[in-house]
Amino acid sequence: MGTSDPQSSAATATRRSYDSSLRRDQAAETRARVLDTAIRMFAERGWSVGVREIAAEAGVSFETVYAKFGSKTRLFLAAFDVAVVGDDRPVPLVERPGFAAMSAGNRRERAAAGAALAAEVYGRTAGLYRALREGASFDPELAARLADAYRRQRSDVRTAGESIAGRTLTDDEAGGLWAVISTEVYDLLVNNAGWSQTRYQNWLADATLRLLGPN
């Protein structure tokens, strides 16, 4: 009987490992490209954009998108989650550096950090929130996600407000701050009234300080 060649076996194992790593990298790159395309197209065109259109724009097949995400709703929700935090790492917004910045410096600096974070997040998600509200009118899964998104947003804004104020907020203060720091207000001022990001940030920082009152 013949014996196997150890060097040949090692080379085969190395090749398999390389091929496996290459496939994983290619799959991750394809997923990222589809999600980036979905974020842009849903934001620009709303819920009505089709999966075939997204696939064509991303340069992949319709079947590839469905194999990775399963449905248009699942694709949208994956894109929405990535847009909220800016990447696909499983790290909540409240655990990211932009949120931590609201605990450093004086009150005005903390309010400015909060306004900058809001402008950054809503710059990525305002169009997606419009699409989500549109889809939620007839898709129960999207309706549940919209309600959950608002709950998380309200909780995050309260946490941010307490970091800025350096104290516990009353329910009225927290609710009022959530109304001011909302996707809808950003959309009205930036995407409808034509405010720049800088103008919005300055206004929001001042509005936050007025709402929270003196130290």
Coordinates of all heavy atoms in Angstrom, one line a residue, residues 8-24:
S8 N 2.5 17.1 0.6 CA 1.3 17.2 -0.3 C 0.1 17.5 0.6 O -0.8 18.3 0.2 CB 1.1 16.0 -1.1 OG 0.0 16.1 -1.9
S9 N -0.1 16.7 1.7 CA -1.3 16.9 2.5 C -1.3 18.3 3.1 O -2.4 18.9 3.2 CB -1.3 15.8 3.6 OG -1.4 14.5 3.1
A10 N -0.2 18.7 3.6 CA -0.1 20.1 4.2 C -0.4 21.2 3.1 O -1.1 22.1 3.4 CB 1.3 20.3 4.8
A11 N 0.1 21.0 1.9 CA -0.2 22.0 0.9 C -1.7 22.0 0.5 O -2.3 23.0 0.3 CB 0.6 21.6 -0.4
T12 N -2.3 20.8 0.5 CA -3.7 20.7 0.2 C -4.5 21.4 1.3 O -5.5 22.2 1.0 CB -4.2 19.3 0.1 OG1 -3.5 18.6 -1.0 CG2 -5.7 19.2 -0.2
A13 N -4.2 21.2 2.6 CA -4.9 21.8 3.7 C -4.7 23.3 3.6 O -5.7 24.1 3.9 CB -4.3 21.3 5.0
T14 N -3.5 23.8 3.3 CA -3.3 25.2 3.2 C -4.1 25.8 2.1 O -4.7 26.9 2.2 CB -1.8 25.5 2.9 OG1 -1.0 25.0 4.0 CG2 -1.5 27.0 2.8
R15 N -4.2 25.1 1.0 CA -5.0 25.6 -0.2 C -6.5 25.7 0.2 O -7.1 26.6 -0.2 CB -4.8 24.7 -1.4 CG -5.6 25.1 -2.6 CD -5.1 26.4 -3.2 NE -6.0 26.8 -4.3 CZ -5.8 28.0 -4.9 NH1 -4.9 28.8 -4.5 NH2 -6.6 28.3 -5.9
R16 N -7.0 24.7 0.9 CA -8.4 24.7 1.3 C -8.7 25.8 2.2 O -9.7 26.5 2.1 CB -8.7 23.3 1.9 CG -8.8 22.2 1.0 CD -9.0 20.9 1.7 NE -9.2 19.7 0.8 CZ -9.1 18.5 1.1 NH1 -8.9 18.1 2.4 NH2 -9.3 17.5 0.2
S17 N -7.7 26.1 3.2 CA -7.9 27.2 4.1 C -7.9 28.5 3.3 O -8.7 29.4 3.6 CB -6.8 27.2 5.1 OG -6.9 28.3 6.0
Y18 N -7.0 28.6 2.4 CA -7.0 29.9 1.6 C -8.3 30.0 0.8 O -8.8 31.1 0.8 CB -5.8 29.8 0.6 CG -5.7 30.9 -0.4 CD1 -5.2 32.2 0.0 CD2 -6.2 30.7 -1.7 CE1 -5.2 33.2 -1.0 CE2 -6.2 31.8 -2.6 CZ -5.7 33.0 -2.2 OH -5.7 34.0 -3.1
D19 N -8.7 29.0 0.1 CA -9.9 29.0 -0.6 C -11.1 29.4 0.2 O -12.0 30.2 -0.2 CB -10.2 27.7 -1.3 CG -9.2 27.4 -2.5 OD1 -8.6 28.4 -2.9 OD2 -9.1 26.3 -2.9
S20 N -11.2 28.8 1.4 CA -12.3 29.1 2.4 C -12.3 30.6 2.8 O -13.3 31.2 2.9 CB -12.2 28.2 3.6 OG -13.2 28.4 4.5
S21 N -11.1 31.1 3.1 CA -10.9 32.5 3.5 C -11.3 33.4 2.4 O -12.0 34.4 2.6 CB -9.5 32.7 4.0 OG -9.2 32.0 5.1
L22 N -10.9 33.0 1.2 CA -11.2 33.9 0.0 C -12.7 33.9 -0.2 O -13.3 35.0 -0.4 CB -10.5 33.3 -1.2 CG -10.7 34.1 -2.5 CD1 -10.2 35.5 -2.4 CD2 -10.1 33.4 -3.7
R23 N -13.4 32.8 -0.1 CA -14.8 32.8 -0.2 C -15.5 33.6 0.8 O -16.5 34.3 0.5 CB -15.4 31.3 -0.2 CG -15.1 30.5 -1.5 CD -15.9 29.2 -1.5 NE -15.5 28.3 -0.4 CZ -14.6 27.4 -0.5 NH1 -13.9 27.3 -1.7 NH2 -14.3 26.6 0.5
R24 N -15.1 33.5 2.1 CA -15.7 34.3 3.1 C -15.5 35.8 2.9 O -16.4 36.6 3.1 CB -15.0 34.0 4.5 CG -15.5 32.6 5.1 CD -15.2 32.5 6.6 NE -13.8 32.6 6.8 CZ -13.0 31.6 6.8 NH1 -13.5 30.3 6.6 NH2 -11.7 31.7 7.1

